[in-house]
Amino acid sequence: MAQKFERNQEATVYIGNLDDRVTDELVWELMVQVGPVVNVHLPKDRITQSSQGYGFCEFQSAEDCDYAVKVMNMVKLYGKPMRINKSSTDRRTQDVGAKLFIGNLDVQVDEKLLYDTFGVFGQMVQPPKIARDALSNSSKGFAFVGYATFEAADAAIEALNGQYLANKPVTVNYSFKKDARGERHGSAAERLLAAQAQKNMPVEQIQPQQQQQQQQQDDGLLSATSTTMVTK
């Protein structure tokens, strides 16, 4: 297999949340349906040789890589939704603290539905993660999602808080910080730091990101209510 320094990052996807039973061969067989695959690598523990739950798949072209992100993200393998992002963008996307708490979830809501619903508002740095029981894997009724910008998170809150997903109205708000009692994300201080980070980002990274986020937000505000509301 190709070494890491030889990998074409623009044509490589990162695959996360993999079940222990997933093999390189299985990922290859799945991804080759999207386009020609050059290499698949699932890192293993040096001692136990067990999967570490993530991997990489390199395609022949960046176009196939982009298509894989669109069609394969949140597809389930052994009951677990894969989290797929373009490898080359993961390092450039900064976690600014735009993290949301989604409460009162219906048991029928899964990660794929949350991704389709919340993904229209902007780029995610933390795909939807539903809190689940360790034994039964059943939903505990709440989830988290993180955006690359506070603008995207604000738009999601405005459009989706109180709307129906499946048969229950969901609550959407900024999540509480782990290291601060009673303080939520989305504070003025976090927003200021995010604005400063945006100023320091190279122009060639800012413009595509802003265009993508604006288009996603426009699409979300126009269609989110009609696509997510389900009457009893």
Side-chain angles (χ1 to χ4, degrees):
M1 289 188 176
Q3 299 297 318
K4 287 186 178 180
F5 60 83
E6 297 176 335
R7 183 183 298 137
N8 179 3
Q9 296 295 341
E10 292 299 324
T12 300
V13 293
Y14 165 84
I15 311 169
N17 197 39
L18 292 176
D19 187 272
D20 292 341
R21 293 168 288 181
V22 175
T23 63
D24 293 49
E25 292 76 14
L26 178 57
V27 172
W28 186 294
E29 291 178 5
L30 181 66
M31 293 299 174
V32 78
Q33 299 178 49
V34 175
V37 172
V38 174
N39 179 53
V40 171
H41 177 57
L42 305 184
K44 294 179 174 58
D45 185 274
R46 292 183 179 180
I47 298 177
T48 65
Q49 288 299 303
S50 60
S51 171
Q52 296 188 19
Y54 70 95
F56 301 90
C57 177
E58 179 184 353
F59 292 92
Q60 286 188 3
S61 70
E63 290 76 15
D64 289 334
C65 176
D66 294 336
Y67 185 57
V69 174
K70 293 180 181 178
V71 302
M72 291 296 184
N73 189 47
M74 308 308 286
V75 170
K76 291 183 178 181
L77 281 181
Y78 294 109
K80 296 180 65 175
M82 296 184 296
R83 293 173 185 151
I84 299 181
N85 293 298
K86 195 167 182 177
S87 179
S88 62
T89 60
D90 285 348
R91 297 189 303 275
R92 297 199 300 258
T93 303
Q94 183 178 8
D95 186 352
V96 297
K99 299 179 179 179
L100 301 183
F101 171 85
I102 310 165
N104 199 40
L105 287 179
D106 190 279
V107 293
Q108 298 179 15
V109 174
D110 60 8
E111 287 84 356
K112 181 65 166 62
L113 177 57
L114 288 181
Y115 183 87
D116 291 343
T117 303
F118 284 81
V120 298
F121 296 98
Q123 183 181 7
M124 294 182 180
V125 296
Q126 177 187 327
K129 183 176 181 180
I130 296 176
R132 295 184 178 277
D133 183 88
L135 297 177
S136 66
N137 199 41
S138 59
S139 171
K140 292 184 178 181
F142 63 93
F144 299 91
V145 64
Y147 287 103
T149 68
F150 287 104
E151 290 79 7
D154 291 341
I157 293 174
E158 181 178 356
L160 298 176
N161 185 44
Q163 301 293 341
Y164 276 79
L165 274 179
N167 296 311
K168 298 174 67 175
V170 296
T171 59
V172 183
N173 202 348
Y174 281 102
S175 63
F176 286 104
K177 296 181 180 180
K178 293 182 179 180
D179 56 351
R181 295 182 179 179
E183 184 178 352
R184 293 182 183 272
H185 285 288
S187 65
E190 280 187 326
R191 292 171 185 268
L192 179 60
L193 290 173
Q196 291 297 325
Q198 185 78 356
K199 289 181 180 180
N200 295 329
M201 185 181 295
V203 174
E204 63 269 17
Q205 295 179 15
I206 294 176
Q207 291 178 343
Q209 185 183 70
Q210 288 178 338
Q211 292 172 356
Q212 178 191 36
Q213 290 167 354
Q214 184 61 54
Q215 182 62 51
Q216 288 174 323
Q217 289 177 20
D218 290 344
D219 292 343
L221 291 174
L222 289 172
S223 63
T225 301
S226 61
T227 57
T228 61
M229 287 187 68
V230 178
T231 57
K232 293 185 177 179

